[in-house]
């Protein structure tokens, strides 16, 4: 049985509570519904939080520059999001520990420190982009960034440091609800729904598959599948005290969040296409503030106002989720207490990290002449740099029987997950290389990497399926099985394939990281 944490306590969600001693099976629809709304939260918040300032800007750019033609990319992301996040949800519920700590314990301190250090740097840069979104949205209403950014930071800290997970989750659900402002935005922009539906199911690119179009498609995927999501959802599930007994409800939470985030992204592309795509070509996009002003000019002031509200909301919930993911990661690194149920005086390190990240990111945003464009570029490149390693570690952990026991991936889930991971790796490497070498032929690079990945899958998948052993039996109800104390687990068996994979990941991180630093230095000094 799990020995990593204190005895289980009650689950207190935004919409209900499950007592610690309540382990009865739910047989009626009403009982199941009440249980679902008590569990719901981590999956929904992580997904809606991923439609952050960067996401809103990317979707608006797709609609303004390419009309409805890129809508087909979004439905494809639903299974990707569900499978990726279901795996970390399972890891959180079964192990009871955060993602960074799990990597440290199973792959060694070096890999754990690299993973946590990288996610902290990336998250810090993402938080800056969220504050950029806050400043741009409030600038539309004539509010100075020197007022809007500090107020946003104070509100975020006050709610997070309330000492109650339930209060924090209710606050986040308020921002989830504000996302539905996209409905009146659609009503006022009046997109052509038949055309939008056609492009949602029939792939195509207005103007052809140019390098800029391919890069934007990769950006849509990259902004929807982000490394910080893995850290956030696993630790948030642990913080909420969700155990394997309630995992099916958390899976519904994850599926619901995945569908809602894609519907929201689709609506933003459609609204931007309807309002702006007829007023410029494939290079018309400037920034999110330009989109709000453009909608106000061509559609009406109400459309611009609604878009600015959605941008502000996305930036705030994104900042809250990404900053909390960073605090969780720091807790994994230091071993300090990391719970939203803790009071400030009892978890000074946890809340101190949260306050520090908000403060420094806000200050950087407000520095006159700060290289905000360079920061945005670094975020894109680092997402491309980190996504391969984070998804590979998730897949390896979900096949670790010492950690997950009867909850390890099934054979066919591994096939689908491996295919998804390989696709994400190809897209991430393409984004990384094209960001560093802007003159490269993106279409040719993507084609070459896809062919190499396809050959690797054809060779590797049959070998992996043949080597899959028979699952052992367990003398305990699967719903009650928890990871034993991590220090008591047998080490991961070493194999040639695993060693080669980790060396490849390490080499990629070293080379790509060095190139990224060189490129940033070049841009900052030019």
């Amino acid at each position: 049985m799990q020995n990593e944490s204190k005895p289980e306590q009650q689950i207190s969600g935004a919409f209900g509570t499950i007592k610690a001693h309540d382990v009865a099976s739910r047989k009626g629809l009403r009982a199941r519904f009440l249980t679902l709304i008590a569990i719901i939260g981590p999956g929904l918040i992580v997904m809606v939080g991923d439609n952050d300032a960067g996401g809103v800007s990317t979707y608006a750019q797709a609609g303004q520059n390419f009309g409805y033609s890129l809508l087909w990319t979004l439905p494809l992301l639903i299974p990707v999001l569900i499978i990726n996040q279901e795996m970390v949800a399972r890891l959180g519920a079964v192990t009871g520990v955060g993602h960074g700590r799990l990597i440290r314990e199973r792959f060694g301190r070096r890999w754990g420190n690299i993973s946590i250090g990288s996610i902290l740097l990336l998250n810090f840069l993402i938080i800056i982009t969220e504050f950029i979104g806050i400043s741009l949205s409030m600038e539309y209403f004539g509010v100075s960034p020197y007022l809007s950014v500090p107020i946003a930071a104070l509100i975020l800290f006050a709610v997070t440091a309330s000492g109650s997970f339930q209060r924090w989750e209710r606050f986040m659900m308020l921002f989830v609800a504000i996302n539905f402002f996209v409905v009146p935005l659609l009503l006022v922009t009046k997109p052509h729904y038949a055309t939008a539906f056609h492009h949602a199911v029939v792939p195509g690119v207005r103007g052809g598959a140019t390098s800029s179009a391919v890069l934007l498609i990769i950006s849509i995927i990259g902004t929807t599948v982000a490394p910080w999501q893995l850290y956030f959802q696993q630790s948030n599930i642990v913080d909420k005290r969700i155990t394997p007994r309630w995992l099916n409800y958390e899976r519904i939470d994850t599926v619901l969040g995945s569908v809602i985030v894609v519907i929201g992204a689709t609506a933003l592309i459609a609204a931007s296409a309807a309002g702006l795509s007829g007023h410029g070509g494939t290079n018309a996009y400037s920034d999110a503030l330009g989109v709000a002003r453009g909608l106000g000019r061509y559609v009406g002031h109400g459309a611009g106002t609604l878009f600015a509200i959605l941008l502000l909301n996305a930036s705030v919930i994104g900042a809250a989720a990404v900053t909390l993911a960073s605090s969780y990661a720091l807790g994994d690194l230091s071993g300090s207490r990391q719970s939203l149920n803790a009071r400030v005086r009892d978890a000074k390190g946890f809340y101190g990290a949260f306050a520090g990240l908000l403060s420094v990111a806000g200050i950087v945003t407000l520095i006159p002449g700060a290289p905000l464009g360079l920061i945005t570029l670094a975020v894109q490149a680092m997402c491309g740099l980190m996504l391969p390693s984070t998804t590979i570690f998730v897949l390896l952990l979900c096949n670790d029987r010492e950690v997950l026991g009867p909850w390890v991936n099934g054979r066919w889930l591994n096939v689908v997950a491996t295919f998804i991971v390989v696709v994400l790796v190809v897209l991430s490497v393409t984004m990384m290389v094209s960001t560093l070498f802007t003159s490269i032929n993106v279409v040719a690079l993507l084609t070459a990497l896809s062919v190499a990945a396809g050959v690797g899958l054809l060779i590797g998948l049959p070998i992996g399926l043949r080597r899959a052993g028979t699952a052992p039996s367990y003398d305990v109800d699967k719903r009650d099985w928890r990871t034993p104390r991590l220090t008591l687990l047998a080490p991961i068996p070493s194999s040639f394939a695993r060693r080669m994979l980790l060396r490849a990941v390490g080499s990629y991180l070293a080379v790509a990281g060095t190139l990224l630093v060189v490129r940033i230095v070049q841009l900052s000094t030019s």
Side-chain angles (χ1 to χ4, degrees):
M1 296 292 290
Q2 173 65 273
N3 293 316
E4 285 297 324
S5 57
K6 294 180 180 180
E8 293 174 14
Q9 302 175 50
Q10 69 179 21
I11 299 171
S12 297
F15 306 119
T17 298
I18 299 175
K19 300 294 183 182
H21 60 270
D22 184 358
V23 295
S25 60
R26 268 57 175 174
K27 295 182 180 180
L29 286 178
R30 183 177 181 275
R32 291 174 180 174
F33 175 74
L34 292 176
T35 304
L36 174 62
I37 63 173
I39 296 293
I40 203 168
L44 186 57
I45 292 169
V46 75
M47 296 301 183
V48 175
D50 195 45
N51 267 3
D52 58 356
V56 170
S57 300
T58 301
Y59 305 139
Q61 180 181 2
Q64 182 174 9
N65 289 1
F66 294 93
Y68 303 102
S69 65
L70 299 185
L71 282 173
W72 58 271
T73 59
L74 295 173
L76 300 176
L77 294 176
I78 293 177
V80 175
L81 288 168
I82 291 172
I83 290 175
N84 259 15
Q85 296 304 126
E86 188 279 334
M87 288 193 289
V88 291
R90 199 165 0 117
L91 286 170
V94 178
T95 66
V97 299
H99 193 64
R101 183 180 172 192
L102 202 53
I103 292 175
R104 290 187 87 200
E105 295 288 346
R106 299 307 286 163
F107 295 96
R109 297 177 68 87
R110 181 172 66 90
W111 274 116
N113 293 342
I114 289 173
S115 299
I116 295 172
S118 300
I119 200 69
L120 288 174
L121 175 58
L122 173 60
N123 286 359
F124 172 68
L125 297 176
I126 292 175
I127 296 165
I128 294 175
T129 66
E130 309 298 3
F131 279 123
I132 295 172
I134 291 171
S135 64
L136 290 177
S137 61
M138 293 307 293
E139 189 176 341
Y140 180 83
F141 299 107
V143 179
S144 168
Y146 294 99
L147 182 62
S148 59
V149 170
I151 289 176
L154 287 172
I155 291 173
L156 283 170
F157 180 77
V159 173
T160 304
S162 67
S164 168
F165 186 101
Q166 190 174 53
R167 277 195 292 269
W168 173 86
E169 192 168 86
R170 285 174 176 168
F171 179 77
M172 290 296 104
M173 287 301 178
L174 172 63
F175 285 99
V176 170
I178 294 174
N179 270 273
F180 288 96
F181 273 53
V182 76
V183 175
L185 179 62
L186 284 175
L187 294 176
V188 297
T189 53
K190 299 177 181 177
H192 194 281
Y193 294 105
T195 303
F197 178 78
H198 170 78
H199 285 291
V201 296
V202 179
V205 181
R206 189 173 80 174
T210 61
S211 289
S212 60
V214 172
L215 280 177
L216 186 55
I217 290 171
I218 296 174
S219 295
I220 291 172
I221 297 169
T223 196
T224 311
V225 185
W228 70 265
Q229 292 175 271
L230 308 175
Y231 282 80
F232 176 89
Q233 188 167 0
Q234 182 168 337
S235 293
N236 202 239
I237 284 171
V238 175
D239 201 356
K240 193 170 180 177
R241 303 160 181 157
I242 295 173
T243 65
R245 181 168 292 276
W246 315 110
L247 187 55
N248 283 337
Y249 293 97
E250 178 53 32
R251 285 167 169 160
I252 295 173
D253 178 29
T254 301
V255 171
L256 181 63
S258 302
V259 173
I260 288 177
V261 76
V262 168
I263 290 174
T266 301
L268 284 168
I269 291 179
S272 301
L276 300 175
S277 65
H279 303 280
T282 56
N283 295 310
Y285 177 83
S286 56
D287 58 24
L289 179 59
V291 171
R293 288 173 173 168
L295 289 172
R297 182 183 308 117
Y298 297 117
V299 179
H301 182 67
T305 299
L306 285 168
F307 183 85
I309 291 172
L310 286 167
L311 175 62
L312 174 63
N313 180 67
S315 303
V316 171
I317 195 171
V322 175
T323 308
L324 185 56
S326 302
S327 297
Y328 283 141
L330 276 171
D332 288 339
L333 185 65
S334 64
S336 61
R337 187 178 181 185
Q338 44 175 338
S339 174
L340 291 168
N341 284 308
R343 290 173 294 186
V344 173
R345 66 172 178 267
D346 298 324
K348 295 177 182 177
F350 178 64
Y351 291 119
F354 193 92
L357 285 166
L358 288 177
S359 301
V360 177
I363 290 170
V364 171
T365 307
L366 297 176
I367 294 175
L372 301 181
L374 189 61
I375 290 171
T376 303
L377 180 144
V379 167
Q380 280 189 321
M382 281 199 68
C383 281
L385 172 67
M386 287 187 57
L387 196 56
S389 61
T390 53
T391 51
I392 286 171
F393 278 128
V394 169
L395 188 56
L396 291 176
L397 286 169
C398 283
N399 282 279
D400 187 343
R401 290 198 183 277
E402 290 288 322
V403 169
L404 285 186
W407 291 98
V408 293
N409 281 1
R411 178 177 294 189
W412 293 109
L413 177 57
N414 271 332
V415 172
V416 177
T418 300
F419 177 78
I420 288 173
V421 167
V422 169
V423 171
L424 290 176
V425 168
V426 168
L427 295 175
S428 299
V429 172
T430 303
M431 172 62 79
M432 180 70 188
V433 173
S434 60
T435 302
L436 297 177
F437 306 101
T438 54
S439 60
I440 199 166
N441 187 321
V442 176
V443 178
L445 173 63
L446 184 59
T447 302
L449 290 174
S450 299
V451 170
V455 172
L457 281 173
L458 288 174
I459 296 173
L461 276 180
I463 296 174
L465 288 174
R466 277 203 310 270
R467 289 182 177 176
T470 303
S473 59
Y474 297 89
D475 58 355
V476 65
D477 187 332
K478 184 178 179 180
R479 296 174 300 171
D480 294 324
W481 197 94
R482 305 294 301 279
T483 306
R485 187 177 292 275
L486 293 177
T487 54
L488 301 178
L489 300 184
I492 298 177
S494 180
S495 68
F496 176 77
R498 185 183 293 271
R499 289 196 301 271
M500 290 299 101
L501 177 62
L502 292 179
R503 286 175 185 173
V505 170
S507 299
Y508 169 72
L509 290 175
V511 173
T514 302
L515 290 174
L516 175 58
V517 171
V518 170
R519 180 62 174 161
I520 289 176
V521 171
Q522 288 176 341
L523 290 174
S524 61
T525 56
S526 63

